[in-house]
Amino acid sequence: MFKKFSPSTDIAGHTPVKTSVQRSIRAAVLSQWKIESETLEAIWPKKEGLVLVKCREHVSIYTVHGEPIFLQHFDGPFFPTLRLLHKYPYILPMVKVDRGAIRFLLAGAHMMCPGLTSAGGYLPPAEAALPAGTPVAIHAEGKEHAVGVGITKLGTEEMKKVNKGVAVETTTYLGDDLWVLKAL
Amino acid sequence: MPKKSAQPPPPAETEQPEAPIVEPTPPVDVLYCSVCTFPPEYCEFGSSFTRCKEWLKEDHPDLFDKYYSDEAFQTRIGTLSLEAQTKLEKDTAKKEAKAEAKADAALKKKLSSQVTIRRIERTKRKHVTAIYGLDAFGIDLKKAAKQFASKFATGASVTKNPQGLDEIVVQGDVSDEVLDMIEEGVGVLKGIPADNVEIVEDKKKKGGD
Ligand SMILES: [Zn+2]
């Protein structure tokens, strides 16, 4: 989503978010992520206004004090930025790609099933299976920190069964054009 | 000052409803590479691996050993075949060479860029000074304009010249002073070789305009 992104041409405008909308966003984030409301409050204090940075192709970036914290595509689920995920790594469920897939991910590719189902990868066990459409932290074999944020295209059990094609669409990743923007 | 009336006593602690106070979880403080901005464990996939490693060895020798000692090699490779690892290293080296060539080209371009200070005659007594080309040296034009404005206590702004390119226009004839400032590297005006700066005169044509 941010492989090629330039603030001067890809941003349509900044708008402060209405209080009532902020309330519903806060509720949505609390229900979609595994985060305590106190921690969310520390990231985004209630008295601080959220700013919507509208981008091309229905991408929304939400900022607090200019710092991007959430992303949204159309009215889909909220994603944390990778920098926020690094600070609070437990807020999304994680999947892991094997070492061979890392360089493809860093080139902006979506993640294929075999990269997750191989010995170096990781998918949650059946009892903690994730349905399609779940925002996930993308980790990498042998690495401590997440390398990207994405959304499952298949359920994790289906990934194991089918084992081919796109498993996780990459939303943002280490070194993309959003990564380099610390403030908008 | 009016005297304040006595403050009401603070509410007794015991009257507070008994809700457990949940503290926010503190954020993880992630170290980022000062060369490539990645967490250092990912430097090997960037385009500046050699410089990244030099930085890590210097600033965080413990991490350097953790990632790059001989013993760490096998852990780092994980399930990747040795063949694939060799290919990966080759790719990284290629990427690095490419990035270096690009940086070299950018530097060459920078060193061949020219800054022009034009003394423009508005009337017989009034001049403005237009400074073009500072941005080629990575200088923020707005900041530079501000610096000129406060230094000369005059107006200075970033405007488009007739060619549609940004330049700084300062009120008054300050061309020699601007040249001095660039040579001395004052404030934001750093990194411009004096040889790359020239002063030109823009005389008003007789009976012109
Ligand atoms: Zn690095």
Side-chain angles (χ1 to χ4, degrees), chain A residues 35-36 38-39 42-43 67 83-91 145, chain B residues 23-30 32:
Chain A
I35 189 168
E36 313 94 331
E38 291 76 12
T39 306
I43 298 167
E67 185 189 336
R83 285 184 193 275
L84 185 70
L85 182 69
H86 280 169
K87 288 183 193 159
Y88 303 94
Y90 52 87
I91 59 180
H145 302 292
Chain B
E23 289 294 321
T25 312
V28 178
D29 190 15
V30 180
Y32 293 119

Side-chain angles (χ1 to χ4, degrees), chain B residues 33-40 42-44 48-49 51-53 55:
Chain B
C33 171
S34 82
V35 178
C36 74
T37 76
F38 291 3
Y42 286 104
C43 288
E44 55 170 331
S48 52
F49 192 29
R51 281 191 299 130
C52 293
K53 277 204 286 194
W55 162 77

